[in-house]
């Protein structure tokens, strides 16, 4: 197990190194940073100063070496907008995104697993049909539309909930609800399909012959076997959220990493963009590692 | 007759399928007394398991439907009870074990937990269940019970897993144990051990034992009484001796007649030319050696059987000959050339002459290809055999040769029965006009009568087309009837080899003798003699 984690860490470090390289050279490909960073009407003197100050007159490979050195010290530079260290800005925003993703995924998991399992236990029953109907709608509805409609109904018409921002528990309800719907529909369907398989398996027959009641058959015998594909899809969905739920965060004015990235791109705040890319990449790597460990935890036949 | 503890009266069960309702059992009656061993004998599709499933409330409704009848347990009708009441009977009063214990044990829980659960859900305290569980694991013959309890099903061998299932079923000392094909997936020696264990436990507890099987040998070994089922109906009831020696119903007569192990043994062919000569073949996966120097001769037109328990390396030998796996050492001379080191282009030509037929035709035939495509695919790969305009006629010819109809060419594998599918697989092998066909457990999954037909077909083709067979099998009676010579393998070594008559009549090695003694004979008298022999060997 320790060796597995070490191996995966090395492999991810290599991917990260390639990412670092790609980011550096791609951002140079977009043009001279002087043109990108400075206002269009900046004087030649200002431009020269800027070049000198940021080492842009050095050969490209030397610039890359400096850049690597900065990376190694976790120094991503300073945000142009806030004049704070870029990493601190990103971590601040990332906390919000992380909590949003965790809260949403917790609700999604509990709801989808319970409803999906019960739907699978009685295929074609009322619960199954209702759950399948709504999960298909949920999985296909675009979230920008849902977000706007939710604001119109609950904030504007009824005035029950704030339209955007943060500050109270009420501010969380709309973003979490909108983010909830799509993964919920998707994961419910995966749980249902996987559970139908597990409930039809031979070991469930054995459990019935032992006299095990329906509830433990579903949740003790079948569910753990059915969870592997569910965990895979859950990881995929959670990765999407950690990347920053760009649309939902932007619409609800939620100060997460998705909104931060959009704002930084629009204002060419390269240091922040770079830091945000690295932070989310590391987060996704850690999450994938956790998923692999979850496999081993769920299924004793999987050992690393 | 003592009072029956379990009685099935006039039971009829129907399953709704896409092709209309199927009446799985019709007006079935049987009873089981305490201390009795009753066998239900039948081929696949005979409905032999259906009444037991009805007893255990394992029939899903829908698509199943119980049309009529009652199931009396101690005089009370199970079918009139609530699901909750029936759950109180399942386990403590009537328990069941199944074929293929690997899929019937939950892969994600330890075996100890699964056995404890059987007790805890019926009211035993955790601590008591735990100590009883360890005791049970010891009783069914697992070494180190406390250690075994913490392991998962995949960490055991097939026989050990069946022991775990038995421990679980017997945890609450049921009055009736139902065993559905309990030894079908096991080696002959392990089968004998499991049947002996069931018998001992049955005698000790006085429970009624219902065994569902397709194997006349199992009936002869263990049953007091036997019910023969065909197409959902009981055709005959009697003692194993009555059924075997004096069958009344035409179906039973055919079934008994088809049982292998009674035919003329081959005396081997003399003066045939040597086809394949394997010397010192070894195979290792990493540090694990699975074959330790195998010598093997196959002559033209000869049937060489390879027998041995699982893990003996039988199938690995086949994989080396077909070069599906590279050998680690040794030689295999095929017409003066070494198969193991042959360059790929030459190998392609040899592969044409060496064909394989696998155990499960459902898996080895592509379900999306028609029979025409399956058979003629061989000619796509080896275009020099047959010009394209003759393919259709040749497929028709091959299908007739294996006993199918020419217009079956347009069907897909799922439209055939198991035996017919195996015929398709044989026709596919014949398409390349092979010199050697490797049959890896090719008849193991088939019902007795179909098995006999396929064996007859293989024998006829061998004679007519001068094809040699490497016949890998665990079923000794089939080998006895079909093989010219036999190779006995154990743990990657050849223990003994020789003409079939010598191996069966005068085996030299203890391992071979054990294998013979453990194999089950459909004749209860022969079987009784074998039991005595087994007991002597143990003593």
């Amino acid at each position: 197990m320790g060796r597995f984690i070490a191996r995966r860490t090395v492999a991810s470090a290599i991917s990260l190194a390639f990412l670092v390289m790609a980011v550096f050279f791609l951002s140079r490909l977009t043009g001279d940073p002087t043109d990108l960073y400075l206002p269009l009407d900046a004087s030649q003197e200002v431009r020269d100063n800027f070049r000198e100050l940021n080492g842009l007159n050095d050969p490209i490979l030397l610039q890359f070496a400096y850049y690597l050195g900065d990376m190694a010290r976790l120094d991503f530079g300073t945000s142009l907008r806030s004049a704070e260290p870029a990493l601190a800005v990103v971590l601040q925003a990332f906390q919000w995104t992380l909590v949003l993703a965790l809260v949403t995924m917790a609700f999604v998991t509990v709801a989808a697993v319970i409803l999906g399992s019960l739907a699978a236990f009685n295929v074609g029953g009322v619960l199954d049909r209702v759950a399948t109907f709504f999960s298909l709608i949920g999985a296909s509805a675009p979230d920008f539309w849902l977000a706007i409609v939710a604001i119109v109904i609950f904030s504007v018409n009824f005035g029950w909930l704030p339209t955007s921002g943060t500050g109270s528990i009420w501010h969380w309800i709309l973003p979490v609800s909108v983010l909830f719907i799509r993964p919920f529909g998707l994961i419910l369907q995966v749980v249902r399909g996987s559970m139908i398989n597990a409930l039809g398996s031979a070991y469930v027959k054995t459990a019935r012959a032992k006299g095990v009641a329906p509830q433990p058959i579903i949740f003790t015998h079948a569910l753990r076997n059915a969870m592997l594909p569910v965990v895979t899809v859950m990881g995929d969905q959670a990765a999407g959220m950690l990347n920053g739920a760009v649309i939902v965060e932007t619409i609800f004015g939620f100060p997460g990493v998705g909104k931060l990235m959009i704002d930084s791109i629009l204002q060419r705040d390269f240091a922040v963009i770079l830091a945000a890319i690295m932070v989310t990449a590391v987060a996704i790597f850690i999450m994938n590692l956790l998923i692999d460990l979850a496999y081993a935890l769920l299924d004793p036949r999987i050992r690393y | 007759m003592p009072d029956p503890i379990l009685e099935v009266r006039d039971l009829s069960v129907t399953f709704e399928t896409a092709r209309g309702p199927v009446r799985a059992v019709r007006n079935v009656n049987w009873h089981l007394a305490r201390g009795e061993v009753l066998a239900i004998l039948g081929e696949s599709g005979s409905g032999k398991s259906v009444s037991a499933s009805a007893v255990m409330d394992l029939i899903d409704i829908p698509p199943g439907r119980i049309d009529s009848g009652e199931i009396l347990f101690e005089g009370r009708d199970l079918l009139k009870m609530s699901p909750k009441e029936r759950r109180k009977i399942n386990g403590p009063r009537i328990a069941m074990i199944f074929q293929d214990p690997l899929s019937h044990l939950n892969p994600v829980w330890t075996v100890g937990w699964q056995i404890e659960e059987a007790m805890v859900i019926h009211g035993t305290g955790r601590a008591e269940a735990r100590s009883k569980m360890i005791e049970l694991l010891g009783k069914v013959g697992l070494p180190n019970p406390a250690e075994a309890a913490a392991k998962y099903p995949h960490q055991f061998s097939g026989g050990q897993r069946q022991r775990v299932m038995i421990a679980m079923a017997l945890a609450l000392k049921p009055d009736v144990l139902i065993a559905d094909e309990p030894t079908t997936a096991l080696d002959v020696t392990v089968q004998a051990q499991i049947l002996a264990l069931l018998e001992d436990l049955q005698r000790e507890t006085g429970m009624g034992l219902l065994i569902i099987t397709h194997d006349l040998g199992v009936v002869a070994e263990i049953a007091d009484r036997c019910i023969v089922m065909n197409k959902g109906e009981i055709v005959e009831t009697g003692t194993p001796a009555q059924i075997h020696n004096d069958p009344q119903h035409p179906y039973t007569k055919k079934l008994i007649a088809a049982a292998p192990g009674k035919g003329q043994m081959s005396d081997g062919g003399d003066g045939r030319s040597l086809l394949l000569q394997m010397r010192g073949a070894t195979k290792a996966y990493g540090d694990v050696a699975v074959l330790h120097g195998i010598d093997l001769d196959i002559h033209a037109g000869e049937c060489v059987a390879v027998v041995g328990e699982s893990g003996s390396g039988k199938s690995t030998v086949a994989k080396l000959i077909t070069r599906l796996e590279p050998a680690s050492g040794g030689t295999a001379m095929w017409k003066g050339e070494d198969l193991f080191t042959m360059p790929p282009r030459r190998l392609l030509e040899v592969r044409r002459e060496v064909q394989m037929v696998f155990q499960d035709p459902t898996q080895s035939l592509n379900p999306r290809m028609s029979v025409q495509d399956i058979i003629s695919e061989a000619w796509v790969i080896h275009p020099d055999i047959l010009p394209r305009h003759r393919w259709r006629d040749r497929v028709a010819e091959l299908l007739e040769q294996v006993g199918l109809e020419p217009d079956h060419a347009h069907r897909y594998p799922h439209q055939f029965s198991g035996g017919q599918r195996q015929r398709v697989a044989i026709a596919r092998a014949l398409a390349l006009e092979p010199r050697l066909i490797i049959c890896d457990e090719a008849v193991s999954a088939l019902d007795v009568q179909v098995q006999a037909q396929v064996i007859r077909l293989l024998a006829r083709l061998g004679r007519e087309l001068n094809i040699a067979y490497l016949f890998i099998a665990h079923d000794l009676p089939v080998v006895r009837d079909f093989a010219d010579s036999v190779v006995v393998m154990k743990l990657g070594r050849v223990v003994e080899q020789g003409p079939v008559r010598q191996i069966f009549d005068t085996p030299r090695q203890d391992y071979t003798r054990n294998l013979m003694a453990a194999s089950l004979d459909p004749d209860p008298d022969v079987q009784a003699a074998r039991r005595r022999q087994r007991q002597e060997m143990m003593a």
Side-chain angles (χ1 to χ4, degrees), chain B residues 123-163:
Chain B
T124 315
R126 275 269 166 215
E128 193 192 339
R130 170 132 196 101
S131 65
K132 252 181 101 179
M133 176 270 290
I134 305 255
E135 187 191 317
L136 279 161
L137 283 175
K139 197 165 167 182
V140 296
L142 283 184
N144 287 332
E147 239 172 73
K151 289 192 188 171
Y152 293 92
H154 71 277
Q155 294 169 300
F156 294 94
S157 71
Q160 288 174 324
R161 282 195 281 264
Q162 195 56 287
R163 286 172 194 271

Side-chain angles (χ1 to χ4, degrees), chain A residues 201-214 216 219-222 224-225 298-301 303, chain B residues 56-58 60 87 90-91 94 96 98 103-109 113-114 117-118 121-122 152 154 168:
Chain A
S201 69
Y203 52 80
V204 163
K205 202 165 141 190
T206 308
R208 285 168 67 184
K210 271 156 83 171
V212 181
F219 293 109
T220 315
H221 284 267
R224 196 169 148 192
N225 280 285
L298 285 168
D299 191 335
R301 286 166 298 183
R303 285 287 168 267
Chain B
M56 300 307 290
D57 197 16
L58 294 178
D60 283 316
R87 283 203 295 274
N90 277 4
I94 311 177
M96 186 163 182
F98 301 89
S103 61
H104 280 91
L105 286 169
N106 197 321
V108 301
W109 298 101
W113 183 91
Q114 295 186 53
E117 188 202 24
I121 54 173
H122 294 292
Y152 293 92
H154 71 277
M168 189 161 79

Side-chain angles (χ1 to χ4, degrees), chain B residues 276-444:
Chain B
L276 178 82
Q277 186 180 45
M278 188 187 266
R279 288 291 173 266
T282 58
K283 175 71 190 170
Y285 295 98
D287 298 334
V288 187
V290 291
L291 290 183
H292 310 266
I294 302 293
D295 296 346
L296 182 75
D297 288 344
I298 303 176
H299 296 85
E302 179 192 34
C303 173
V304 178
V306 182
V307 300
E309 297 177 316
S310 50
S312 62
K314 301 186 298 264
S315 296
T316 311
V317 171
K319 283 182 196 154
L320 295 195
I321 294 176
T322 47
R323 284 259 306 255
L324 290 174
E325 304 252 1
S328 308
T331 58
M333 302 308 284
W334 175 271
K335 294 180 176 172
E337 280 179 276
D338 186 3
L339 269 174
F340 290 169
T341 54
M342 201 170 266
R345 187 172 302 166
R346 184 78 191 96
L347 186 66
L348 185 69
E349 291 166 40
V350 174
R351 277 205 174 133
R352 197 187 126 173
E353 300 181 304
V354 182
Q355 285 299 302
M356 276 197 87
V357 176
F358 297 94
Q359 172 170 10
D360 186 352
T362 317
Q363 286 180 27
S364 58
L365 298 176
N366 189 334
R368 310 228 186 284
M369 283 168 80
S370 71
V371 167
Q372 172 79 36
D373 293 339
I374 288 171
I375 295 177
S376 55
E377 189 186 26
W379 304 317
V380 178
I381 302 163
H382 298 276
D384 50 314
I385 297 182
L386 203 66
R388 189 175 278 267
H389 67 271
R390 286 216 48 228
W391 286 8
R392 186 182 296 270
D393 295 343
R394 180 68 180 135
V395 168
E397 213 174 289
L398 284 167
L399 287 176
E400 280 184 330
Q401 213 162 19
V402 297
L404 294 171
E405 305 285 328
D407 54 321
H408 283 160
H410 308 293
R411 294 204 194 165
Y412 288 83
H414 73 269
Q415 293 170 293
F416 294 96
S417 70
Q420 286 175 321
R421 272 196 286 261
Q422 202 57 300
R423 285 168 194 267
V424 172
I426 294 169
R428 187 206 58 76
L430 289 178
L432 289 168
E433 296 158 13
R435 308 276 20 111
L436 172 66
I437 296 183
I438 298 174
C439 301
D440 193 352
E441 300 280 8
V443 298
S444 307

Side-chain angles (χ1 to χ4, degrees), chain B residues 30-260:
Chain B
W30 52 261
H31 57 85
L32 175 71
R34 279 181 211 276
E36 184 187 32
V37 182
L38 174 70
I40 300 182
L41 177 73
E43 297 183 295
S44 48
S46 64
K48 61 181 185 294
S49 300
V50 175
S51 47
S53 296
V55 170
M56 300 307 290
D57 197 16
L58 294 178
I59 293 177
D60 283 316
I61 301 173
R65 187 175 72 222
I66 293 176
D67 298 321
S68 73
E70 43 190 15
I71 297 173
L72 301 177
F73 178 69
E74 294 181 319
R76 293 174 64 210
D77 188 356
L78 292 177
L79 298 179
K80 291 209 175 73
M81 291 183 188
S82 69
K84 206 174 163 192
E85 280 177 289
R86 298 192 69 172
R87 283 203 295 274
K88 286 186 187 150
I89 291 176
N90 277 4
R93 309 300 311 278
I94 311 177
M96 186 163 182
I97 62 173
F98 301 89
Q99 183 184 356
D100 187 14
L102 179 58
S103 61
H104 280 91
L105 286 169
N106 197 321
V108 301
W109 298 101
T110 63
V111 300
W113 183 91
Q114 295 186 53
I115 298 171
E116 276 174 48
E117 188 202 24
M119 294 181 263
V120 171
I121 54 173
H122 294 292
T124 315
R126 275 269 166 215
E128 193 192 339
R130 170 132 196 101
S131 65
K132 252 181 101 179
M133 176 270 290
I134 305 255
E135 187 191 317
L136 279 161
L137 283 175
K139 197 165 167 182
V140 296
L142 283 184
N144 287 332
E147 239 172 73
K151 289 192 188 171
Y152 293 92
H154 71 277
Q155 294 169 300
F156 294 94
S157 71
Q160 288 174 324
R161 282 195 281 264
Q162 195 56 287
R163 286 172 194 271
V164 169
M165 284 284 276
I166 292 173
M168 189 161 79
L170 296 184
L172 293 167
K173 297 201 166 65
D175 305 275
V176 173
L177 176 64
I178 301 176
D180 190 352
E181 300 271 14
T183 59
T184 304
L186 307 175
D187 281 326
V188 275
T189 45
V190 181
Q191 161 167 288
Q193 290 161 12
I194 294 290
L195 289 178
L197 174 67
L198 281 175
E199 221 177 346
D200 287 348
L201 293 169
Q202 189 249 352
R203 211 171 299 137
E204 188 187 317
T205 59
M207 64 187 175
L209 176 59
L210 174 68
I211 290 222
I212 299 160
T213 183
H214 70 283
D215 190 341
L216 276 164
V218 170
V219 174
E221 164 77 8
I222 197 172
D224 299 319
R225 250 172 354 109
C226 176
I227 292 168
V228 184
M229 286 195 71
N230 181 35
K231 294 183 181 159
E233 286 177 339
I234 293 179
V235 296
E236 194 157 351
T237 310
T239 65
Q242 283 169 351
I243 300 272
H244 182 268
N245 301 333
D246 186 22
Q248 300 298 313
H249 193 274
Y251 172 78
T252 321
K253 285 181 186 166
K254 272 201 298 194
L255 196 67
I256 303 283

